[in-house]
Amino acid sequence: MRVSNVTVRKRLAIVLFIGVLIFAIIDIRLGYVQLILGDVLAQKAKDSWSRNIPFEPKRGEILDRNGVPLATNMSAPTVYVMPRQVENPADTAKKLAEALNMSVEEVYQYITKQTLIVRIPQGRKISNEKAKEIRSLDLKGVYIAEDTKRYYPFGSYLSHVLGFTGIDNQGLTGLELYYDKELKGQKGSVEFYSDAKGKRMPNLADHYTPPTDGLNLKLTIDSRIQTIVERELDIAEATYHPDGMIAIAMDPNTGEILAMSSRPTFDPANYRNVPAEIYNRNLPVWSTYEPGSTFKIITLAAALEEKKVNLLKDHFYDPGYVKVAGATLRCWKKGGHGSETFLEVVQNSCNPGFVELGERLGKEKLFNYIKSFGFGAKTGIDLQGEGTGILFDTKRVGPVELATTAFGQGVSVTPIQQVAAVAATINGGILYTPYIAKEWVDPETGEVISRNTPKAKRRVISEETSKQVRFALESVVAQGTGKGAFVEGYRVGGKTGTAQKAQGGRYLKDNYIVSFIGFAPADDPKLVVYVAVDHPKGTVQFGGVVAAPIVGKIMEDSLRALGVKPRNGQLEKERAWNDPKMVEVPDLEGLTKKDLQEQLFNLKLDVSGDGEVVIDQAPKAGVKVEEGSTIRILLGPKASDDTSRNQ
Amino acid sequence: MPQKKSAPDVLLLFLTFSLLAIGLIMVYSASAVWAEYKFHDPFFFAKRQLLFAGVGVVAMFFIMNVDYWVWRDWAKVLLIICFVLLVLVLIPGVGMVRNGSRSWIGVGAFSIQPSEFMKLAMIAFLAKYLSERQKTITSFKQGLLPSLALVFSAFGMIMLQPDLGTGTVMVGTCIAMIFVAGARISHFVGLGMVGLAGFAALVLSAPYRIKRITSFLNPWEDPLGSGFQIIQSLYAIGPGGLLGLGLGQSRQKFFYLPEPQTDFIFAILAEELGFIGGSLVILLFSLLLWRGVRIAFGAPDLYGSFLAVGIIAMVAIQVMINIGVVTGLMPVTGITLPFLSYGGSSLTLMLMAIGVLLNISKHARY
């Protein structure tokens, strides 16, 4: 205590106190950072140390309703480079450039980038052989990662519906885009801890998060029916060289889409060489146009439901035109259909007759039914780019608009709207939301994760009315304008349509969309098929001539594929003078050659095989075929005569 | 004047060696990765630090046996030499630029930082000056103003390099000395207000400065620029938690925290040894402060008392600023942590200063 200065001693004590206080504050701060902020900072620090190597999930496959793959994955490895692990950039660049067919300089630039992982564009989705080649080079810092490429085994088949994916396997159009989230799954990764120079840090374990593969999508599409539809469109395309074509097949009792196709089409593997408007427009749901006479089904259903007409008893006289508010609306048939029942009005697709029905309903009722059948609004189908169509604003509908709407002019609708609406008229009266995704299936276990069920929107007409519509439309095919769709034994009903195309508010000359919408069997409809052909060449542009036979063929083969049994009680087809006579195929199986010669046939025989006895025939007994058709028979040995089999 | 001597403060010696030992271990742990990367020798920095420590300890014991009045006799000369060096260091070609500051003079490994010496010369001179005019220190004009003028002229020279860290430590140390010498509290309050006003004027004249100063409050605003070091430092300290990751287990030393063995060594220490280890080091420094102030208490004369308080204030303030920066309490200034940070001149000068303190303790009576 030699320094006796009191002030100095006091001040020294203060200095000590302040000093210790500051140390205490700093220690509290240290504790705050380590004990309270610690977890947050540790997480952030971990993020800054960790590096992720992504692991791509497998994209879900798209299957038809019976499990036939429509979109699958092909192994297509991808080259990754970790620049910091590359030991000899010049040498690596040279070898890699050779393998990938690139310039050495370009590769060098990629592999010396200051990033963790580099993907060389030319090294993405390469073939397995190429991958093996690169792997055998054994280059440090160059990795081959498993990757996949989308593969569409059927090519252009169903391409608009399926859509396609881009380089990162991301959905770009169609279902691939609509259900991208479910299909793509979740990326996985290997997370490892790295020092600031990109090298693995010691003593910290890697963390692997496996990718979650996308779910498999099972569609309502039936590939058998789709195949038939594609075939028929191909034939029609070759025959008529149309500007475009649309076909939809749907189960009328559920709204499940069984087939959907259009022309022009494209191969998803090659979409880059196709104009965007082709692959971006799925015509069956996108396009809107005047439906023409197929729309008369709606007017008919409304008039029947409102009991404004008795098809068999009420008569109508068609002079070939009708005057509405000073305007003259012509029937498609010059000179008119004369006196007819309303059933014949439907069969003949007689415009003045439908104008009459429209007037009996009045604009309020007619337009209410049109909307109730789903026109003027999207159907809600799970596909990209659905159109809405255009209806007259009810307030501004005058007598002329009412009249034209009644026979399908002056409204604009989408094909899918027509299919859904017509399905409602014949399925017992219920409007369903059409849909195409049926089930989501776990790719590992095959377990169904979720399932779409039919969604009934509303009842539009009664069961009884629906029955009458079916009867009227079956008679259109058997006796009226839809004869081309007639299928022996399958009771096809339907309606033709021929609509003049409009452009810029004007109708185009000699340019029609001809269509047919059919369903079968008429007693219990299992299938609705709509076909529209845009501007067919080299033919009369009538729906009954061009579209109806296509629907007939699709219907016949599809119903058979679905296992629908042929019916009895079919309305007999009214024969035109040039219609071939139909005969029933006799049972030839078991007959000997001699027996055959004794039979009197109006059919030709195409014999194959050696032997004495008919062991097979096509078509089978009971099928009706045109007179003069060829029956193929296969001869074989008698069932009991084994020795002759080896002759 | 010299009285009979007693033994030096053994506890002070023990504290110094404890900190030195911790420092050597931590320098190795923090620098091994860097050293391996740069020099292919994980012991590169540790070996040199051991050498500096050896030189420093020898110097410390030598100075411990030099009676501290020598520094009073040489104070004026040393101060003038330091001023000259501070001028010389500013001349391009003579002074060398490291990390953006022209602070070094000399050749290669034999280069020194004049500002470091200025700190010590200033302490020695101010102790002499204040002990001789202790009666006038209560006068603003005759006592306070001349000492402050001297201190701030040296500070101005140091800021021309610029070396804000060393300058701040020197000014803080001198203010502590002037305070202990008995300057009026009212003068300090008045000067504090003037200082605040000047600071405000500086900020208003160039508003970007405020951002620079406050960026430490939210380093994530500029994580790759001004906030980078503090974020990396917090990423080290935070995960350390209570017990730390274990000696040698730091992650941030893997090139994330730049030069972890120097200014930010405390961050690595807190990461590896946790809050317990960090607190122990702060406790050791607090005890060191206590021993230093105690020596000032027992010093045989005012000169010894002021010299002791100057030395211990310098050590304590440098510790406070360094750990304050590392834990994000203060903007980054760039000064070393005494006894722990890697660096030859810092370590040897610190040990020499402790030598002086030990010598005073030999003469002290409590």
Side-chain angles (χ1 to χ4, degrees), chain B residues 93-123:
Chain B
V94 181
M96 291 178 291
V97 178
R98 286 189 197 168
N99 296 329
S101 295
R102 196 175 290 282
S103 308
W104 296 78
I105 204 163
V107 183
F110 298 99
S111 49
I112 55 154
Q113 272 182 289
S115 50
E116 289 284 343
F117 286 91
M118 178 48 112
K119 265 191 320 199
L120 293 176
M122 185 59 82
I123 290 168

PDB file of all heavy atoms in Angstrom, chain B residues 93-123:
ATOM      1  N   GLY B  93       7.537   1.485 -49.863  1.00  0.00           N
ATOM      2  CA  GLY B  93       8.896   1.025 -50.092  1.00  0.00           C
ATOM      3  C   GLY B  93       9.604   0.746 -48.790  1.00  0.00           C
ATOM      4  O   GLY B  93      10.425  -0.146 -48.712  1.00  0.00           O
ATOM      5  N   VAL B  94       9.242   1.492 -47.765  1.00  0.00           N
ATOM      6  CA  VAL B  94       9.795   1.230 -46.441  1.00  0.00           C
ATOM      7  C   VAL B  94       8.792   0.390 -45.645  1.00  0.00           C
ATOM      8  O   VAL B  94       9.116  -0.681 -45.154  1.00  0.00           O
ATOM      9  CB  VAL B  94      10.119   2.549 -45.691  1.00  0.00           C
ATOM     10  CG1 VAL B  94      10.715   2.249 -44.317  1.00  0.00           C
ATOM     11  CG2 VAL B  94      11.070   3.400 -46.529  1.00  0.00           C
ATOM     12  N   GLY B  95       7.565   0.938 -45.568  1.00  0.00           N
ATOM     13  CA  GLY B  95       6.505   0.174 -44.899  1.00  0.00           C
ATOM     14  C   GLY B  95       5.908  -0.847 -45.844  1.00  0.00           C
ATOM     15  O   GLY B  95       5.841  -0.615 -47.050  1.00  0.00           O
ATOM     16  N   MET B  96       5.545  -1.988 -45.278  1.00  0.00           N
ATOM     17  CA  MET B  96       4.966  -3.050 -46.112  1.00  0.00           C
ATOM     18  C   MET B  96       3.465  -3.183 -45.841  1.00  0.00           C
ATOM     19  O   MET B  96       3.033  -3.030 -44.702  1.00  0.00           O
ATOM     20  CB  MET B  96       5.647  -4.384 -45.813  1.00  0.00           C
ATOM     21  CG  MET B  96       7.087  -4.436 -46.294  1.00  0.00           C
ATOM     22  SD  MET B  96       7.835  -5.999 -45.859  1.00  0.00           S
ATOM     23  CE  MET B  96       7.951  -5.869 -44.102  1.00  0.00           C
ATOM     24  N   VAL B  97       2.758  -3.469 -46.927  1.00  0.00           N
ATOM     25  CA  VAL B  97       1.311  -3.606 -46.804  1.00  0.00           C
ATOM     26  C   VAL B  97       0.960  -5.073 -46.548  1.00  0.00           C
ATOM     27  O   VAL B  97       1.375  -5.954 -47.292  1.00  0.00           O
ATOM     28  CB  VAL B  97       0.602  -3.112 -48.081  1.00  0.00           C
ATOM     29  CG1 VAL B  97      -0.905  -3.304 -47.961  1.00  0.00           C
ATOM     30  CG2 VAL B  97       0.939  -1.651 -48.341  1.00  0.00           C
ATOM     31  N   ARG B  98       0.235  -5.316 -45.460  1.00  0.00           N
ATOM     32  CA  ARG B  98      -0.313  -6.663 -45.242  1.00  0.00           C
ATOM     33  C   ARG B  98      -1.776  -6.515 -44.864  1.00  0.00           C
ATOM     34  O   ARG B  98      -2.112  -5.694 -44.017  1.00  0.00           O
ATOM     35  CB  ARG B  98       0.426  -7.383 -44.100  1.00  0.00           C
ATOM     36  CG  ARG B  98       1.820  -7.834 -44.511  1.00  0.00           C
ATOM     37  CD  ARG B  98       2.424  -8.728 -43.440  1.00  0.00           C
ATOM     38  NE  ARG B  98       3.869  -8.825 -43.636  1.00  0.00           N
ATOM     39  CZ  ARG B  98       4.699  -9.342 -42.732  1.00  0.00           C
ATOM     40  NH1 ARG B  98       4.228  -9.789 -41.586  1.00  0.00           N
ATOM     41  NH2 ARG B  98       5.982  -9.421 -42.972  1.00  0.00           N
ATOM     42  N   ASN B  99      -2.616  -7.314 -45.525  1.00  0.00           N
ATOM     43  CA  ASN B  99      -4.057  -7.249 -45.265  1.00  0.00           C
ATOM     44  C   ASN B  99      -4.604  -5.833 -45.394  1.00  0.00           C
ATOM     45  O   ASN B  99      -5.418  -5.395 -44.583  1.00  0.00           O
ATOM     46  CB  ASN B  99      -4.399  -7.800 -43.873  1.00  0.00           C
ATOM     47  CG  ASN B  99      -4.065  -9.273 -43.768  1.00  0.00           C
ATOM     48  OD1 ASN B  99      -4.133  -9.997 -44.759  1.00  0.00           O
ATOM     49  ND2 ASN B  99      -3.684  -9.692 -42.586  1.00  0.00           N
ATOM     50  N   GLY B 100      -4.114  -5.081 -46.351  1.00  0.00           N
ATOM     51  CA  GLY B 100      -4.693  -3.772 -46.626  1.00  0.00           C
ATOM     52  C   GLY B 100      -4.173  -2.640 -45.764  1.00  0.00           C
ATOM     53  O   GLY B 100      -4.595  -1.506 -45.916  1.00  0.00           O
ATOM     54  N   SER B 101      -3.248  -2.948 -44.836  1.00  0.00           N
ATOM     55  CA  SER B 101      -2.723  -1.862 -44.003  1.00  0.00           C
ATOM     56  C   SER B 101      -1.199  -1.786 -44.148  1.00  0.00           C
ATOM     57  O   SER B 101      -0.518  -2.810 -44.137  1.00  0.00           O
ATOM     58  CB  SER B 101      -3.064  -2.094 -42.529  1.00  0.00           C
ATOM     59  OG  SER B 101      -4.457  -2.045 -42.362  1.00  0.00           O
ATOM     60  N   ARG B 102      -0.717  -0.562 -44.242  1.00  0.00           N
ATOM     61  CA  ARG B 102       0.734  -0.391 -44.316  1.00  0.00           C
ATOM     62  C   ARG B 102       1.266  -0.290 -42.885  1.00  0.00           C
ATOM     63  O   ARG B 102       1.450   0.793 -42.359  1.00  0.00           O
ATOM     64  CB  ARG B 102       1.071   0.870 -45.118  1.00  0.00           C
ATOM     65  CG  ARG B 102       2.510   0.940 -45.577  1.00  0.00           C
ATOM     66  CD  ARG B 102       2.733   2.155 -46.456  1.00  0.00           C
ATOM     67  NE  ARG B 102       2.085   2.033 -47.760  1.00  0.00           N
ATOM     68  CZ  ARG B 102       2.571   1.309 -48.780  1.00  0.00           C
ATOM     69  NH1 ARG B 102       3.696   0.659 -48.638  1.00  0.00           N
ATOM     70  NH2 ARG B 102       1.937   1.272 -49.922  1.00  0.00           N
ATOM     71  N   SER B 103       1.431  -1.459 -42.235  1.00  0.00           N
ATOM     72  CA  SER B 103       1.725  -1.486 -40.809  1.00  0.00           C
ATOM     73  C   SER B 103       3.077  -2.088 -40.473  1.00  0.00           C
ATOM     74  O   SER B 103       3.463  -2.121 -39.319  1.00  0.00           O
ATOM     75  CB  SER B 103       0.655  -2.303 -40.071  1.00  0.00           C
ATOM     76  OG  SER B 103      -0.620  -1.841 -40.403  1.00  0.00           O
ATOM     77  N   TRP B 104       3.770  -2.622 -41.480  1.00  0.00           N
ATOM     78  CA  TRP B 104       4.970  -3.403 -41.192  1.00  0.00           C
ATOM     79  C   TRP B 104       6.212  -2.721 -41.719  1.00  0.00           C
ATOM     80  O   TRP B 104       6.208  -2.088 -42.757  1.00  0.00           O
ATOM     81  CB  TRP B 104       4.845  -4.796 -41.797  1.00  0.00           C
ATOM     82  CG  TRP B 104       3.736  -5.589 -41.177  1.00  0.00           C
ATOM     83  CD1 TRP B 104       2.414  -5.455 -41.444  1.00  0.00           C
ATOM     84  CD2 TRP B 104       3.849  -6.571 -40.175  1.00  0.00           C
ATOM     85  NE1 TRP B 104       1.690  -6.291 -40.679  1.00  0.00           N
ATOM     86  CE2 TRP B 104       2.545  -7.021 -39.866  1.00  0.00           C
ATOM     87  CE3 TRP B 104       4.929  -7.138 -39.473  1.00  0.00           C
ATOM     88  CZ2 TRP B 104       2.281  -7.993 -38.914  1.00  0.00           C
ATOM     89  CZ3 TRP B 104       4.659  -8.130 -38.541  1.00  0.00           C
ATOM     90  CH2 TRP B 104       3.343  -8.544 -38.254  1.00  0.00           C
ATOM     91  N   ILE B 105       7.271  -2.918 -40.961  1.00  0.00           N
ATOM     92  CA  ILE B 105       8.544  -2.341 -41.367  1.00  0.00           C
ATOM     93  C   ILE B 105       9.613  -3.399 -41.127  1.00  0.00           C
ATOM     94  O   ILE B 105       9.502  -4.191 -40.184  1.00  0.00           O
ATOM     95  CB  ILE B 105       8.814  -1.035 -40.567  1.00  0.00           C
ATOM     96  CG1 ILE B 105       9.779  -0.118 -41.317  1.00  0.00           C
ATOM     97  CG2 ILE B 105       9.328  -1.328 -39.173  1.00  0.00           C
ATOM     98  CD1 ILE B 105       9.740   1.301 -40.769  1.00  0.00           C
ATOM     99  N   GLY B 106      10.632  -3.445 -41.999  1.00  0.00           N
ATOM    100  CA  GLY B 106      11.683  -4.439 -41.820  1.00  0.00           C
ATOM    101  C   GLY B 106      11.752  -5.387 -43.003  1.00  0.00           C
ATOM    102  O   GLY B 106      11.192  -5.122 -44.052  1.00  0.00           O
ATOM    103  N   VAL B 107      12.470  -6.500 -42.802  1.00  0.00           N
ATOM    104  CA  VAL B 107      12.681  -7.445 -43.892  1.00  0.00           C
ATOM    105  C   VAL B 107      12.169  -8.823 -43.495  1.00  0.00           C
ATOM    106  O   VAL B 107      12.580  -9.387 -42.484  1.00  0.00           O
ATOM    107  CB  VAL B 107      14.187  -7.542 -44.246  1.00  0.00           C
ATOM    108  CG1 VAL B 107      14.371  -8.483 -45.442  1.00  0.00           C
ATOM    109  CG2 VAL B 107      14.753  -6.170 -44.534  1.00  0.00           C
ATOM    110  N   GLY B 108      11.243  -9.345 -44.265  1.00  0.00           N
ATOM    111  CA  GLY B 108      10.757 -10.720 -44.107  1.00  0.00           C
ATOM    112  C   GLY B 108      10.325 -11.025 -42.691  1.00  0.00           C
ATOM    113  O   GLY B 108       9.480 -10.347 -42.113  1.00  0.00           O
ATOM    114  N   ALA B 109      10.936 -12.108 -42.123  1.00  0.00           N
ATOM    115  CA  ALA B 109      10.545 -12.568 -40.801  1.00  0.00           C
ATOM    116  C   ALA B 109      10.947 -11.557 -39.726  1.00  0.00           C
ATOM    117  O   ALA B 109      10.453 -11.607 -38.601  1.00  0.00           O
ATOM    118  CB  ALA B 109      11.185 -13.913 -40.508  1.00  0.00           C
ATOM    119  N   PHE B 110      11.841 -10.683 -40.058  1.00  0.00           N
ATOM    120  CA  PHE B 110      12.327  -9.723 -39.065  1.00  0.00           C
ATOM    121  C   PHE B 110      11.578  -8.411 -39.128  1.00  0.00           C
ATOM    122  O   PHE B 110      12.085  -7.370 -38.759  1.00  0.00           O
ATOM    123  CB  PHE B 110      13.840  -9.498 -39.242  1.00  0.00           C
ATOM    124  CG  PHE B 110      14.619 -10.752 -39.025  1.00  0.00           C
ATOM    125  CD1 PHE B 110      15.063 -11.519 -40.092  1.00  0.00           C
ATOM    126  CD2 PHE B 110      14.865 -11.208 -37.714  1.00  0.00           C
ATOM    127  CE1 PHE B 110      15.752 -12.695 -39.884  1.00  0.00           C
ATOM    128  CE2 PHE B 110      15.561 -12.381 -37.510  1.00  0.00           C
ATOM    129  CZ  PHE B 110      16.015 -13.132 -38.584  1.00  0.00           C
ATOM    130  N   SER B 111      10.382  -8.460 -39.660  1.00  0.00           N
ATOM    131  CA  SER B 111       9.618  -7.223 -39.737  1.00  0.00           C
ATOM    132  C   SER B 111       8.838  -7.020 -38.445  1.00  0.00           C
ATOM    133  O   SER B 111       8.484  -7.968 -37.747  1.00  0.00           O
ATOM    134  CB  SER B 111       8.666  -7.270 -40.930  1.00  0.00           C
ATOM    135  OG  SER B 111       7.963  -8.478 -40.918  1.00  0.00           O
ATOM    136  N   ILE B 112       8.609  -5.762 -38.121  1.00  0.00           N
ATOM    137  CA  ILE B 112       7.895  -5.429 -36.897  1.00  0.00           C
ATOM    138  C   ILE B 112       6.754  -4.486 -37.227  1.00  0.00           C
ATOM    139  O   ILE B 112       6.711  -3.887 -38.299  1.00  0.00           O
ATOM    140  CB  ILE B 112       8.821  -4.760 -35.857  1.00  0.00           C
ATOM    141  CG1 ILE B 112       9.492  -3.541 -36.516  1.00  0.00           C
ATOM    142  CG2 ILE B 112       9.844  -5.740 -35.331  1.00  0.00           C
ATOM    143  CD1 ILE B 112       9.898  -2.495 -35.533  1.00  0.00           C
ATOM    144  N   GLN B 113       5.834  -4.364 -36.260  1.00  0.00           N
ATOM    145  CA  GLN B 113       4.748  -3.404 -36.396  1.00  0.00           C
ATOM    146  C   GLN B 113       5.039  -2.242 -35.449  1.00  0.00           C
ATOM    147  O   GLN B 113       4.882  -2.394 -34.237  1.00  0.00           O
ATOM    148  CB  GLN B 113       3.418  -4.066 -35.989  1.00  0.00           C
ATOM    149  CG  GLN B 113       2.722  -4.780 -37.115  1.00  0.00           C
ATOM    150  CD  GLN B 113       1.403  -5.353 -36.654  1.00  0.00           C
ATOM    151  OE1 GLN B 113       1.395  -6.310 -35.904  1.00  0.00           O
ATOM    152  NE2 GLN B 113       0.314  -4.752 -37.082  1.00  0.00           N
ATOM    153  N   PRO B 114       5.423  -1.089 -35.959  1.00  0.00           N
ATOM    154  CA  PRO B 114       5.730   0.057 -35.086  1.00  0.00           C
ATOM    155  C   PRO B 114       4.580   0.411 -34.150  1.00  0.00           C
ATOM    156  O   PRO B 114       4.818   0.837 -33.020  1.00  0.00           O
ATOM    157  CB  PRO B 114       5.988   1.192 -36.081  1.00  0.00           C
ATOM    158  CG  PRO B 114       6.411   0.515 -37.329  1.00  0.00           C
ATOM    159  CD  PRO B 114       5.679  -0.778 -37.370  1.00  0.00           C
ATOM    160  N   SER B 115       3.341   0.202 -34.614  1.00  0.00           N
ATOM    161  CA  SER B 115       2.208   0.578 -33.762  1.00  0.00           C
ATOM    162  C   SER B 115       2.176  -0.272 -32.488  1.00  0.00           C
ATOM    163  O   SER B 115       1.758   0.194 -31.431  1.00  0.00           O
ATOM    164  CB  SER B 115       0.896   0.451 -34.537  1.00  0.00           C
ATOM    165  OG  SER B 115       0.811  -0.807 -35.164  1.00  0.00           O
ATOM    166  N   GLU B 116       2.620  -1.551 -32.597  1.00  0.00           N
ATOM    167  CA  GLU B 116       2.666  -2.415 -31.409  1.00  0.00           C
ATOM    168  C   GLU B 116       3.657  -1.845 -30.381  1.00  0.00           C
ATOM    169  O   GLU B 116       3.382  -1.816 -29.180  1.00  0.00           O
ATOM    170  CB  GLU B 116       3.110  -3.835 -31.801  1.00  0.00           C
ATOM    171  CG  GLU B 116       2.076  -4.622 -32.590  1.00  0.00           C
ATOM    172  CD  GLU B 116       0.939  -5.144 -31.714  1.00  0.00           C
ATOM    173  OE1 GLU B 116       1.102  -5.181 -30.479  1.00  0.00           O
ATOM    174  OE2 GLU B 116      -0.122  -5.491 -32.273  1.00  0.00           O
ATOM    175  N   PHE B 117       4.814  -1.399 -30.893  1.00  0.00           N
ATOM    176  CA  PHE B 117       5.821  -0.821 -29.994  1.00  0.00           C
ATOM    177  C   PHE B 117       5.334   0.505 -29.427  1.00  0.00           C
ATOM    178  O   PHE B 117       5.618   0.853 -28.289  1.00  0.00           O
ATOM    179  CB  PHE B 117       7.155  -0.650 -30.731  1.00  0.00           C
ATOM    180  CG  PHE B 117       7.847  -1.956 -30.949  1.00  0.00           C
ATOM    181  CD1 PHE B 117       7.643  -2.706 -32.098  1.00  0.00           C
ATOM    182  CD2 PHE B 117       8.695  -2.476 -29.976  1.00  0.00           C
ATOM    183  CE1 PHE B 117       8.267  -3.917 -32.287  1.00  0.00           C
ATOM    184  CE2 PHE B 117       9.332  -3.692 -30.143  1.00  0.00           C
ATOM    185  CZ  PHE B 117       9.107  -4.409 -31.313  1.00  0.00           C
ATOM    186  N   MET B 118       4.612   1.250 -30.273  1.00  0.00           N
ATOM    187  CA  MET B 118       4.093   2.545 -29.838  1.00  0.00           C
ATOM    188  C   MET B 118       3.184   2.386 -28.630  1.00  0.00           C
ATOM    189  O   MET B 118       3.212   3.177 -27.710  1.00  0.00           O
ATOM    190  CB  MET B 118       3.337   3.216 -30.999  1.00  0.00           C
ATOM    191  CG  MET B 118       2.723   4.557 -30.638  1.00  0.00           C
ATOM    192  SD  MET B 118       3.865   5.677 -29.776  1.00  0.00           S
ATOM    193  CE  MET B 118       4.103   6.932 -30.993  1.00  0.00           C
ATOM    194  N   LYS B 119       2.384   1.296 -28.638  1.00  0.00           N
ATOM    195  CA  LYS B 119       1.499   1.024 -27.500  1.00  0.00           C
ATOM    196  C   LYS B 119       2.310   0.996 -26.208  1.00  0.00           C
ATOM    197  O   LYS B 119       1.965   1.657 -25.219  1.00  0.00           O
ATOM    198  CB  LYS B 119       0.834  -0.358 -27.679  1.00  0.00           C
ATOM    199  CG  LYS B 119      -0.526  -0.324 -28.306  1.00  0.00           C
ATOM    200  CD  LYS B 119      -1.270  -1.670 -28.229  1.00  0.00           C
ATOM    201  CE  LYS B 119      -0.435  -2.892 -28.466  1.00  0.00           C
ATOM    202  NZ  LYS B 119      -1.214  -4.104 -28.821  1.00  0.00           N
ATOM    203  N   LEU B 120       3.396   0.231 -26.247  1.00  0.00           N
ATOM    204  CA  LEU B 120       4.207   0.054 -25.038  1.00  0.00           C
ATOM    205  C   LEU B 120       4.958   1.336 -24.685  1.00  0.00           C
ATOM    206  O   LEU B 120       5.006   1.744 -23.512  1.00  0.00           O
ATOM    207  CB  LEU B 120       5.190  -1.103 -25.228  1.00  0.00           C
ATOM    208  CG  LEU B 120       4.521  -2.471 -25.342  1.00  0.00           C
ATOM    209  CD1 LEU B 120       5.547  -3.557 -25.624  1.00  0.00           C
ATOM    210  CD2 LEU B 120       3.751  -2.803 -24.061  1.00  0.00           C
ATOM    211  N   ALA B 121       5.523   1.985 -25.692  1.00  0.00           N
ATOM    212  CA  ALA B 121       6.259   3.236 -25.444  1.00  0.00           C
ATOM    213  C   ALA B 121       5.329   4.290 -24.864  1.00  0.00           C
ATOM    214  O   ALA B 121       5.688   5.038 -23.947  1.00  0.00           O
ATOM    215  CB  ALA B 121       6.883   3.733 -26.748  1.00  0.00           C
ATOM    216  N   MET B 122       4.118   4.318 -25.391  1.00  0.00           N
ATOM    217  CA  MET B 122       3.139   5.287 -24.924  1.00  0.00           C
ATOM    218  C   MET B 122       2.779   5.018 -23.459  1.00  0.00           C
ATOM    219  O   MET B 122       2.659   5.946 -22.654  1.00  0.00           O
ATOM    220  CB  MET B 122       1.889   5.236 -25.805  1.00  0.00           C
ATOM    221  CG  MET B 122       0.837   6.286 -25.490  1.00  0.00           C
ATOM    222  SD  MET B 122       1.460   7.982 -25.636  1.00  0.00           S
ATOM    223  CE  MET B 122       1.318   8.235 -27.394  1.00  0.00           C
ATOM    224  N   ILE B 123       2.636   3.715 -23.123  1.00  0.00           N
ATOM    225  CA  ILE B 123       2.320   3.361 -21.729  1.00  0.00           C
ATOM    226  C   ILE B 123       3.461   3.826 -20.807  1.00  0.00           C
ATOM    227  O   ILE B 123       3.234   4.450 -19.764  1.00  0.00           O
ATOM    228  CB  ILE B 123       2.082   1.848 -21.592  1.00  0.00           C
ATOM    229  CG1 ILE B 123       0.766   1.460 -22.293  1.00  0.00           C
ATOM    230  CG2 ILE B 123       2.040   1.431 -20.119  1.00  0.00           C
ATOM    231  CD1 ILE B 123       0.578  -0.035 -22.478  1.00  0.00           C
TER     232      ILE B 123
END
